[in-house]
Amino acid sequence: GAVVSQHPSWVICKSGTSVKIECRSLDFQATTMFWYRQFPKQSLMLMATSNEGSKATYEQGVEKDKFLINHASLTLSTLTVTSAHPEDSSFYICSALDRAAQETQYFGPGTRLLVL
Amino acid sequence: KQEVTQIPAALSVPEGENLVLNCSFTDSAIYNLQWFRQDPGKGLTSLLLIQSSQREQTSGRLNASLDKSSGRSTLYIAASQPGDSATYLCAARNSGNTPLVFGKGTRLSVIA
C-alpha cells in the first residue's frame, strides 16, 4: 500500500515552545489529509481535516489558533502546536487520502509529543 | 454523526482459541469499514478493509464481516497466538471525503 511518513517520530519540548510535525504522502498525491490525536489508552480522535490550498476544518473543541495546520502542497501537511503545554502531550497521527486507490486512508506512524 | 462502539473493551484468551471482536456503528450508510491493530506505543497497522458493497474480507487467520443493515462488523481471529496480543480498532467512514471514525478498541491478550 501507499506510504505516509511523519517527522519527527518523537519530540520533547519545554512548556511554551512551538512544535511542528510534518506529514508526507511519499508515493501519491493527497489533496486531503486528516490529523488525529490519541491520549494514553484512548482511541484516535479527529482533530482537523486539511485540504490542499485551503483552510483546515477543525473539529468541535479543537482550538485552531493553537493547532495550526498548513497543507501547502499535494504531498505535505504540517501541524504546529503553538505554545505547547503539558496537557498537549499526546500521540499525533496523520492520515492521507489516496483518491486514486478507492479513497483509501493511509496512516503515518505517529509523532509522540511530550511537553515538560 | 457516525459513532463506533467496540465490545468488549478487553479480552484475555488462552493460546489457540478462536475469538470474535465486535464493532457496531450508528449510521448504516457507510462507505467502508476498516480494522486496525495497534501495538503499545506504536502506530496503526491496517488489517482488513471492507467496502460498502462487500460482506466480508479475509487475510490469513483473520476474517472480517460487515452487516450494514444491523450496523455491525465482526473480526474473527482463528487459532490465536501470543503475537496477536494488541489493541484492535474498528473504524468506519460515511463517504469518500470524510475521515474514518474510530471505536475505542478492544485490548486483546493471548496467554501462552
Side-chain angles (χ1 to χ4, degrees):
Chain A
V3 178
V4 176
S5 70
Q6 274 185 249
H7 178 80
S9 56
W10 59 270
V11 58
I12 302 173
C13 69
K14 293 182 180 179
S15 185
T17 60
S18 294
V19 175
K20 179 185 283 189
I21 302 170
E22 292 186 349
C23 177
R24 294 181 185 272
S25 57
L26 297 186
D27 49 4
F28 67 98
Q29 293 184 332
T31 54
T32 301
M33 292 185 177
F34 305 105
W35 287 94
Y36 292 83
R37 179 169 54 184
Q38 185 180 36
F39 291 108
K41 298 190 178 181
Q42 304 267 325
S43 190
L44 278 75
M45 297 300 295
L46 181 69
M47 298 177 66
T49 299
S50 168
N51 292 300
E52 188 266 337
S54 64
K55 291 183 178 180
T57 303
Y58 291 82
E59 294 299 298
Q60 191 173 5
V62 178
E63 299 176 58
K64 63 179 182 180
D65 294 328
K66 181 168 187 63
F67 298 99
L68 300 178
I69 292 173
N70 184 282
H71 194 159
S73 79
L74 289 172
T75 59
L76 173 65
S77 175
T78 61
L79 168 68
T80 300
V81 183
T82 61
S83 187
H85 288 94
E87 58 265 29
D88 299 323
S89 299
S90 187
F91 192 48
Y92 293 86
I93 303 177
C94 75
S95 174
L97 201 57
D98 187 354
R99 297 194 185 279
Q102 293 186 290
E103 292 158 312
T104 301
Q105 255 187 267
Y106 293 101
F107 285 81
T111 296
R112 190 162 301 283
L113 170 64
L114 177 61
V115 185
L116 301 176
Chain B
K1 186 177 179 181
Q2 182 70 271
E3 293 183 6
V4 178
T5 303
Q6 290 186 248
I7 295 174
L11 180 64
S12 183
V13 300
E15 181 179 7
E17 268 202 13
N18 302 324
L19 59 100
V20 174
L21 306 181
N22 296 294
C23 171
S24 61
F25 43 94
T26 54
D27 187 346
S28 61
I30 64 171
Y31 180 76
N32 61 32
L33 184 141
Q34 206 162 349
W35 283 91
F36 295 86
R37 168 185 173 141
Q38 186 175 32
D39 293 287
K42 303 293 185 181
L44 304 178
T45 299
S46 178
L47 298 174
L48 291 165
L49 186 154
I50 310 176
Q51 299 292 352
S52 174
S53 58
Q54 298 173 323
R55 296 295 297 271
E56 66 176 351
Q57 281 286 334
T58 298
S59 176
R61 293 183 294 110
L62 307 179
N63 175 277
S65 68
L66 174 63
D67 184 343
K68 289 193 302 179
S69 61
S70 66
R72 293 181 182 178
S73 175
T74 61
L75 178 66
Y76 175 82
I77 302 177
S80 59
Q81 304 170 357
D84 295 331
S85 298
T87 295
Y88 290 81
L89 295 164
C90 170
R93 289 173 71 193
N94 280 66
S95 75
N97 289 319
T98 57
L100 283 163
V101 175
F102 285 82
K104 293 186 176 181
T106 294
R107 193 166 59 256
L108 173 66
S109 296
V110 181
I111 311 300

